[in-house]
Amino acid sequence: MENAKTPNPILDPLKFRAAVFDNIGSEDAGFSNYSYWRSTLRTFFRNKMVLLLVALVLALIVMSLVYPLVSDVDPNKVSLMPLEWNLRPSAEHWFGTDALGRDIWTRAWYGVRNSFALAFCIALSDVGIGMIAGALWGYNKKLDPFMIELYNIMTNIPSTVYLVLLAYIMNTSYLTLFISMASRGWIVEARFFRNRILSLRDNEYNIASKCLGTPVWRIATRNIIPHIISLIIMEAALCIPYSIGSEVFMGFVGVGMPVEAITLGNIVNQGRASFTLHPYQMLLPTIILCIITVAFYVIGNKFADASDPRNHV
């Protein structure tokens, strides 16, 4: 049986007509109101836990800055009355007093302020220097042999030994702690950024810039670093709790800040000495330390997820 051929339909000339080429209309291009940072922040703050942690961290920072200004309690005031030593938490002393009668509540907020200031300086130094060094390292192939050897030498030395040796060589102070951590942290950050930048190095616009004679530092700061801003923010957020934790650890091994310095590390270390009889002297400042560490860790990781374009809507 032969297949019946369907006749071609007759087009109605009143309904169909040839399109007229428009020179102006052909130049119009579609556009979108998409914003990378708006989408990143919308994805980031969509998580209720992130909102809670961000609000908690901001409250801690504001409290640590405001309380020392409005409080008339001297955090270093030693009481000569034995009855005021090792007092338990009460309405008068919310965190109790230590073995010298000093108010732990007041000392805790001074310690949070000082520890935050030190941590922010270290994070700024590590991420700032590491970002620039990593951009140059990842873009300039000639730096690979030297930077890889420098990275291997500095990272093969145990961090504990490195920090303790510098603390013994230099007098314990804020500057000593800053130098000991910042002098080592930047190379780790540089390796991290270098690995991310390798994927951007051979893009066409970077090759064109190099052919036009653009300096390497300008290509790194204008063409490469803006593409890793989200990674910079994430690394800074993770560097802050690491710095505070290192300061606490240095206090535990006895080579941290001077005894008269008010930091979270010193407060926790002093509370450890009387933990058996008065556990609140160590536990309450440790709770603040744990909140800061966990909050910044979660915030940094959630921001890294939110900055991934694949998670944007």
Side-chain angles (χ1 to χ4, degrees), residues 106-151:
T106 301
R107 290 178 60 81
W109 290 117
Y110 275 85
V112 170
R113 184 192 63 177
N114 296 336
S115 294
F116 263 130
L118 180 63
F120 276 116
C121 291
I122 294 173
L124 181 63
S125 173
D126 285 357
V127 177
I129 298 176
M131 171 188 61
I132 297 174
L136 296 175
W137 182 6
Y139 186 80
N140 193 341
K141 298 179 181 180
K142 296 180 181 180
L143 292 177
D144 257 352
F146 171 76
M147 294 298 292
I148 290 176
E149 289 300 324
L150 179 62
Y151 174 83

Side-chain angles (χ1 to χ4, degrees), residues 58-279:
L58 291 177
L60 287 175
I61 294 175
V62 171
M63 186 66 177
S64 66
L65 295 175
V66 173
Y67 185 83
L69 299 177
V70 300
S71 175
D72 56 353
V73 179
D74 185 359
N76 289 317
K77 182 180 179 181
V78 177
S79 177
L80 301 179
M81 301 294 294
L83 294 177
E84 296 182 357
W85 299 348
N86 298 320
L87 293 178
R88 293 184 176 277
S90 62
E92 184 179 359
H93 303 285
W94 288 10
F95 280 14
T97 61
D98 60 10
L100 298 177
R102 297 173 295 187
D103 186 73
I104 299 178
W105 168 263
T106 301
R107 290 178 60 81
W109 290 117
Y110 275 85
V112 170
R113 184 192 63 177
N114 296 336
S115 294
F116 263 130
L118 180 63
F120 276 116
C121 291
I122 294 173
L124 181 63
S125 173
D126 285 357
V127 177
I129 298 176
M131 171 188 61
I132 297 174
L136 296 175
W137 182 6
Y139 186 80
N140 193 341
K141 298 179 181 180
K142 296 180 181 180
L143 292 177
D144 257 352
F146 171 76
M147 294 298 292
I148 290 176
E149 289 300 324
L150 179 62
Y151 174 83
N152 291 333
I153 292 173
M154 296 189 69
T155 55
N156 283 331
I157 301 175
S159 59
T160 303
V161 176
Y162 181 80
L163 294 175
V164 171
L165 283 178
L166 281 183
Y168 274 121
I169 293 173
M170 305 172 66
N171 294 326
T172 56
S173 64
Y174 284 98
L175 181 61
T176 299
L177 198 60
F178 171 78
I179 293 175
S180 61
M181 286 193 280
S183 61
R184 178 186 174 91
W186 72 271
I187 190 66
V188 179
E189 298 295 337
R191 177 63 182 268
F192 173 80
F193 287 116
R194 176 252 187 187
N195 294 336
R196 300 301 185 276
I197 288 167
L198 284 177
S199 60
L200 302 172
R201 181 179 61 187
D202 297 327
N203 285 342
E204 290 81 359
Y205 54 85
N206 286 327
I207 296 176
S209 296
K210 188 175 181 180
C211 293
L212 292 173
T214 305
V216 174
W217 66 268
R218 186 175 179 85
I219 295 176
T221 55
R222 296 297 182 90
N223 294 1
I224 295 179
I225 290 178
H227 289 273
I228 56 174
I229 290 295
S230 60
L231 296 176
I232 295 172
I233 298 175
M234 181 195 71
E235 285 299 302
L238 296 178
C239 187
I240 290 172
Y242 170 76
S243 302
I244 295 177
S246 299
E247 186 264 322
V248 174
F249 169 76
M250 295 287 284
F252 266 108
V253 298
V255 291
M257 300 299 297
V259 178
E260 65 274 8
I262 307 176
T263 63
L264 284 177
N266 275 354
I267 296 173
V268 173
N269 189 43
Q270 292 164 5
R272 178 174 61 93
S274 57
F275 178 77
T276 304
L277 298 176
H278 311 286

